[in-house]
Structures are given as C-alpha cells and as structure tokens.
Amino acid sequence: MNAFFGQLVMRTDEARRAFETHPNVMDAVARGMSVERYRQFLLELYHVVWHFNPVCAAAASRLDDGLRDVRYFLYDHMHEEQGHEQWVLNDLDAVGVPEAQARAHAPSPWTLGLVGYNYWAAERRHPASALGMLYALEVIASVYGGPFASAIQESLLLDGQRGVSFVASHATMDAQHMAELREVLNAVRDEAAREAIVESTQVNFHHFTGLVGQL
C-alpha cells in the first residue's frame, strides 16, 4: 500500500473492524442465516444496489477536469454494475419473495440513511465521496462475501449459486475492482476530495453495520 490508498485503509480501519466484529456479521459468516433473516437482508440490499449507479452518476456529473480519471472510472464501474439489482431480485425469488413484493418493500432507516447520505455527499459534500462508497462496499463484498455466501448455501441448503448469485459473484468480481480502485485512489491529490472519501468510507461502513445489525 502507498500514497492515499494506504492512508484510507488506516484512517477507516476502526469503522471496518466495527463491521467485521459485529455479532450479527460474525454469526452470519460462521453459520449463515435463517431464511427469514436472509430475506430481510436481501430486501435491504436491493435498495442499496438499486441506488448505487444513480449515486455514481450524480457524482460523475459534478467532477471537474482535475478529477477526470475518477469520472471515467465511475463511468466504467456503472457500466459493469448495470442491472445487478436484478440479481438481488432473482435471489429473493429463489428464497420465496416474489419480485413485486421485493420492489414494494419499504427500506429500513439504516438503509435510508446509507442511500440518502451517499446522494447528499455526491451532490453537496464532494463528488469524489462516491469513491468512499465504492471502497466500503467492495471491501465488504471481496473480504466477507465469499464466506457469507458459502455459509448461506449450507444453512439454507441452496442448490449451487441459486439464491446467492449476487453475493457470491461480487465476492469474486470485487477483488479485481479493488485493484482498479486502489490505482484511482492513489491518483487523487486534492485534499478536499481525499477528506470526503475518508468520511464517506466511514459513514458507509457505519450504516452498513447498522443495516446488518438490525436483522
């Protein structure tokens, strides 16, 4: 690690560890979840994923020439993430929640806070804050997604990736995304942008911890 990426890891480590050591997270990674809790998790996750690209688009629209590389990175990432909310809907259907019910689900205050903060930060704080959202969510997916997907498969006796397609696929995909994100983060020189990314990372870890903690 070097440059800003290393600073980001160190300055947000406490927030990451708060997520990692939360009893609900530790239990889910070790033993999976009941089908009721997993359904609730996916219903909340759907809203996070559905708003991911609009947040990135709002941020990209406000980035100036000094952060052109970040803007292009967000464009590429949005293209890759397009339609992934459907994967969550497919997983919900596999565990007994029809699409219409999933779309009608009212998100929890933790999810509303997470999504609302990310829109506000992109539009009012600093558009580079979207990189903090990406970093936090990709750490969660790449580090914890694989063990969590395996535990869910075992606890719910799911057939292959049916029911865990979103979590399992992102555990693999986001390892490569993290390498790309590290390069982009290290190219950010603007101090205001860096501070916004650190804050966003901390808030996203905090709110996602609360999202899982309420289950």
Side-chain angles (χ1 to χ4, degrees):
M1 295 184 298
N2 55 32
F4 177 52
F5 183 83
Q7 297 176 32
L8 179 63
V9 171
M10 289 186 291
R11 292 181 62 186
T12 61
D13 187 61
E14 183 177 349
R16 179 194 62 79
R17 286 183 59 79
F19 170 79
E20 180 183 74
T21 59
H22 192 283
N24 281 13
V25 174
M26 295 175 68
D27 186 61
V29 170
R31 300 190 300 174
M33 289 179 170
S34 67
V35 68
E36 292 81 8
R37 288 181 67 203
Y38 185 53
R39 286 170 180 163
Q40 192 63 33
F41 171 71
L42 290 178
L43 286 168
E44 298 298 326
L45 184 63
Y46 169 74
H47 290 280
V48 176
V49 178
W50 172 245
H51 289 282
F52 181 88
N53 271 4
V55 169
C56 288
S61 72
R62 297 189 60 242
L63 288 162
D64 58 26
D65 282 350
L67 291 166
R68 182 176 297 188
D69 288 345
V70 175
R71 187 173 189 170
Y72 292 158
F73 174 80
L74 292 177
Y75 287 160
D76 290 341
H77 209 74
M78 283 187 283
H79 178 72
E80 290 185 18
E81 297 293 326
Q82 182 178 341
H84 286 197
E85 72 279 356
Q86 187 62 49
W87 297 7
V88 183
L89 292 174
N90 294 342
D91 289 339
L92 279 161
D93 184 69
V95 294
V97 181
E99 184 170 323
Q101 181 181 337
R103 291 183 183 276
H105 170 73
S108 72
W110 283 107
T111 303
L112 290 172
L114 176 67
V115 172
Y117 168 81
N118 284 326
Y119 276 117
W120 172 82
E123 296 173 351
R124 301 291 182 180
R125 191 60 141 183
H126 194 294
S129 63
L131 293 182
M133 174 184 71
L134 265 69
Y135 173 74
L137 296 180
E138 291 188 359
V139 165
I140 291 169
S142 62
V143 177
Y144 311 104
F148 175 65
S150 297
I152 290 293
Q153 283 177 302
E154 292 182 15
S155 65
L156 301 185
L157 303 177
L158 298 174
D159 182 20
Q161 289 197 353
R162 178 171 165 76
V164 293
S165 63
F166 179 86
V167 176
S169 63
H170 281 72
T172 302
M173 291 168 54
D174 285 353
Q176 176 60 34
H177 287 169
M178 185 60 70
E180 297 167 356
L181 181 56
R182 177 186 301 190
E183 183 177 347
V184 171
L185 285 166
N186 280 339
V188 175
R189 308 297 182 190
D190 181 78
E191 190 61 30
R194 288 184 170 190
E195 290 301 313
I197 293 167
V198 170
E199 178 193 87
S200 177
T201 300
Q202 293 169 333
V203 173
N204 274 270
F205 272 130
H206 177 266
H207 279 58
F208 206 89
T209 302
L211 186 160
V212 177
Q214 71 180 336
L215 299 176

